[in-house]
Amino acid sequence: MSSTIEKLYKKYKRLSIPNQYTIKEVETILRKEYSAVSFPIKEVAFLLSPENVKVLDTCFKMQEPEVLFNLFTEQEIRDLTELKEINKQNPLNLEIATKSEVEYTRIQEGHYVMVFFGTDHEGKIQDVKILGHSQKMFDLMTVFIGVEHDHCTLENRDFHDYLYALSNLGYLD
């Protein structure tokens, strides 16, 4: 086991961090900190597989330029810029492109990020799907899903991922 994990675990033990979030808590955070707007799943179901539509019940979209700038790392911004250039050279034919092709292109280019959640009967996050690449958003979703208290052990690899996500987001500083 790495000394980094042990250090993160010690920091984690000193804090009172919720191990799992409810959809209400997530909604408050996403709206306040990321200017997220909610959408009914039915309106955006064309972006999901039928299997995902069955398990995901809540959707948020982040599209404010300042929020997006803070969501993406410098490398992710370079990658998005490069992809935009490639797409300019090979544009979609809008006369034959499907709605999902158009929107996936916009997501790939970083115009917005969408997150979908599936919840249990208590409103706790059980499933997550992110459209748009953002390590920060991935880490945030890892924190939202959390780890059951009795699984917060150094032997649990999922708990390691959770600790790294907390650290990456600055919660363990």
Side-chain angles (χ1 to χ4, degrees):
M1 179 172 345
S2 76
S3 63
T4 303
I5 282 293
E6 290 175 3
K7 288 176 186 173
L8 293 177
Y9 183 67
K10 287 178 184 174
K11 289 180 181 180
Y12 167 80
K13 292 294 279 183
R14 286 182 275 180
L15 300 174
S16 177
I17 297 173
N19 282 57
Q20 293 180 302
Y21 285 79
T22 66
I23 193 64
K24 293 292 182 194
E25 293 167 327
V26 167
E27 180 175 8
T28 299
I29 292 168
L30 291 177
R31 287 184 188 276
K32 182 178 176 184
E33 296 181 26
Y34 299 93
S35 301
V37 177
S38 64
F39 282 87
I41 290 291
K42 290 179 182 178
E43 286 184 25
V44 292
F46 67 93
L47 294 170
L48 299 169
S49 69
E51 298 80 33
N52 282 330
V53 172
K54 291 177 186 175
V55 297
L56 302 172
D57 48 40
T58 309
C59 170
F60 295 95
K61 181 179 185 178
M62 282 127 312
Q63 62 185 359
E64 295 294 324
E66 186 176 307
V67 168
L68 292 173
F69 180 78
N70 290 319
L71 271 185
F72 299 125
T73 65
E74 289 180 23
Q75 181 61 51
E76 289 167 344
I77 290 171
R78 285 192 296 273
D79 293 345
L80 293 170
T81 302
E82 185 178 312
L83 188 58
K84 285 179 186 178
E85 287 302 313
I86 291 169
N87 286 344
K88 281 182 186 176
Q89 295 169 13
N90 303 298
L92 276 179
N93 181 342
L94 296 178
E95 293 177 10
I96 61 171
T98 65
K99 187 176 180 180
S100 63
E101 288 172 325
V102 170
E103 292 307 309
Y104 272 115
T105 298
R106 294 188 70 230
I107 292 166
Q108 286 178 335
E109 291 180 350
H111 293 277
Y112 63 90
V113 173
M114 293 189 86
V115 291
F116 298 85
F117 298 96
T119 57
D120 66 10
H121 64 282
E122 296 174 341
K124 289 184 181 173
I125 306 301
Q126 296 296 301
D127 296 291
V128 173
K129 179 163 183 69
I130 304 170
L131 296 182
H133 180 72
S134 165
Q135 183 61 47
K136 184 174 183 177
M137 191 55 57
F138 180 81
D139 288 338
L140 189 61
M141 296 306 111
T142 300
V143 170
F144 286 162
I145 291 172
V147 177
E148 295 276 343
H149 280 288
D150 56 341
H151 295 138
C152 293
T153 66
L154 291 176
E155 294 77 33
N156 182 352
R157 293 278 182 208
D158 290 337
F159 183 56
H160 291 198
D161 294 341
Y162 176 72
L163 290 175
Y164 282 124
L166 286 170
S167 178
N168 291 344
L169 292 168
Y171 291 112
L172 299 180
D173 292 340

